[in-house]
Amino acid sequence: MPRPLGEHDVEIKIEYSGICGSDLHTIKEEWSGTSYPAIVGHEIVGKIITKGEKATHLEEGDLVGVGAQVYGCLQKDCNPCSRDLDPHCPKSVFTYNTKYPDGEQAHGGYAEAVRVDSNYAIKIPAGLDPVYAPPLMCAGATVFAPMLRKGVKKGDRVGVIGIGGLGHLAVQYASALGAEVVAFSHSPNKREQCLKLGASKFVDTSNKEEVDAVRRSLNYLFVASNSTSNQYNEFISWMDFEGQIVLLALPKGNMSFSPGEFIRTEVAITGSLIGGVNVLKKTLEFSAKHKILPIIERYPMEKVNDAIVQVDSGKARYRVVLENPKDSNL
């Protein structure tokens, strides 16, 4: 049974739901604490079919998206919420595998419908094809959020390593912001595609000559790969002085560094979680304006198990979107 519809909530008939790596980690309990049965999926797009009496900014029939969070207090006296960091709100509820304050389990988008706080149902811009919107609700916001916070701008030299579900979007956003983008990958067959997505340069990380040519050149490096801990000293060597390395993926294990590298280069390493309400709105608006779209594979919802295997195998290019039947009745 779904949780009761609250006065600030909306119920969404799901049309599309993206598959994120977080879904697989949760299903397989690779991140401890999965509460079964768990309905995963936090890249949701669909139409509002009913709403609570205080969800006044949305109407039935509105096409909306839901990302990885479905509640935050959004109060001005809340430290993270007041800074557009509502994913860190102490009262935050993520889209699945967490509980609401009343004890009800939150469930995600591998379903026909979902109920969420209306503040976290974001209108899909008219110029954005809804089938491409689900990956923007998590992957898109995840890579765009730190670019916004750090003020990536025209003329910045931005590296992206890991040209997959996150990385291929990071290249597009950085390019649209006016940065000179360097795409790093150990797969040389991705060179042409990266250049088409907006990269100024492609570096085959197995080619020493190509790597040496970019040392001490980057202002930012967005790490979208599950890089091993011993690779970070190499990454630091790519950075200009005072450059910033931003972790977007969550590799297993601990990371190790040579402290001297930080002192000699003044390079910083940081991370980024997901996008809050305002970041999600900006992500969708920017994507529509600059025609930033994920590269997707489409599966009917009934083939969800096949789609999960495709993602888990690493063969998906680059995001997978599940589709409910158009005539599905609730």
Side-chain angles (χ1 to χ4, degrees):
M1 291 291 292
R3 60 184 291 268
L5 187 75
E7 60 185 4
H8 294 281
D9 292 345
V10 292
E11 181 170 333
I12 302 165
K13 182 178 180 180
I14 298 170
E15 296 184 3
Y16 305 105
S17 186
I19 295 181
C20 179
S22 302
D23 302 349
L24 275 65
H25 290 305
T26 301
I27 291 169
K28 297 188 288 184
E29 204 172 11
E30 292 175 343
W31 294 341
S32 61
T34 300
S35 179
Y36 299 108
I39 301 173
V40 299
H42 58 204
E43 297 180 341
I44 302 167
V45 170
K47 290 181 179 176
I48 295 174
I49 55 173
T50 189
K51 63 175 189 167
E53 60 184 19
K54 293 187 177 179
T56 55
H57 65 290
L58 294 171
E59 301 296 335
E60 292 182 9
D62 282 349
L63 183 69
V64 296
V66 178
Q69 184 179 6
V70 291
Y71 180 77
C73 76
L74 301 179
Q75 298 301 304
K76 292 181 179 179
D77 60 354
C78 174
N79 181 11
C81 287
S82 66
R83 299 158 58 197
D84 282 345
L85 294 171
D86 37 305
H88 300 280
C89 174
K91 297 180 180 179
S92 66
V93 178
F94 293 107
T95 307
Y96 58 76
N97 201 42
T98 55
K99 293 184 182 296
Y100 286 91
D102 61 7
E104 288 281 346
Q105 177 88 356
H107 290 298
Y110 295 11
E112 291 185 327
V114 67
R115 292 177 178 176
V116 304
D117 181 274
S118 60
N119 288 306
Y120 287 87
I122 314 298
K123 285 187 179 181
I124 303 298
L128 187 60
D129 186 334
V131 73
Y132 292 99
L136 302 180
M137 302 306 301
C138 177
T142 295
V143 301
F144 194 48
M147 294 183 187
L148 287 176
R149 296 187 190 116
K150 297 178 183 304
V152 172
K153 62 187 182 304
K154 184 176 181 179
D156 284 341
R157 299 179 302 278
V158 173
V160 177
I161 183 163
I163 309 304
L166 293 173
H168 87 288
L169 287 167
V171 168
Q172 294 181 72
Y173 285 115
S175 176
L177 287 167
E180 179 185 334
V181 183
V182 182
F184 294 83
S185 176
H186 65 268
S187 302
N189 60 351
K190 293 183 179 179
R191 184 185 302 269
E192 184 178 347
Q193 187 169 66
C194 287
L195 296 175
K196 287 181 178 178
L197 291 173
S200 305
K201 181 183 294 185
F202 178 91
V203 173
D204 176 357
T205 55
S206 65
N207 185 316
K208 184 178 184 301
E209 184 176 330
E210 290 188 14
V211 173
D212 286 345
V214 297
R215 294 196 191 280
R216 294 284 173 256
S217 68
L218 302 177
N219 303 118
Y220 301 97
L221 176 65
F222 293 92
V223 183
S225 64
N226 290 322
S227 302
T228 57
S229 62
N230 61 2
Q231 291 179 286
Y232 282 84
N233 284 324
E234 171 69 10
F235 296 166
I236 291 172
S237 76
W238 303 347
M239 309 304 297
D240 195 0
F241 300 105
E242 298 187 318
Q244 296 187 54
I245 298 174
V246 185
L247 275 68
L248 302 175
L250 191 59
K252 295 180 181 178
N254 297 321
M255 299 167 63
S256 61
F257 310 99
S258 170
E261 286 296 321
F262 292 100
I263 294 172
R264 286 190 292 270
T265 64
E266 302 189 31
V267 168
I269 297 182
T270 183
S272 185
L273 186 56
I274 56 174
V277 167
N278 288 330
V279 169
L280 281 167
K281 291 177 181 177
K282 291 176 181 177
T283 299
L284 293 175
E285 291 165 1
F286 190 86
S287 301
K289 179 180 179 180
H290 294 276
K291 302 189 184 307
I292 295 172
L293 299 174
I295 296 171
I296 64 171
E297 296 179 8
R298 301 165 67 168
Y299 282 76
M301 185 68 76
E302 64 184 19
K303 298 290 186 180
V304 59
N305 289 337
D306 294 340
I308 288 173
V309 170
Q310 175 76 347
V311 174
D312 199 26
S313 70
K315 296 178 181 178
R317 293 293 181 269
Y318 285 106
R319 308 292 293 193
V320 167
V321 174
L322 303 169
E323 304 179 50
N324 272 319
K326 296 297 184 185
D327 58 351
S328 175
N329 295 314
L330 297 179

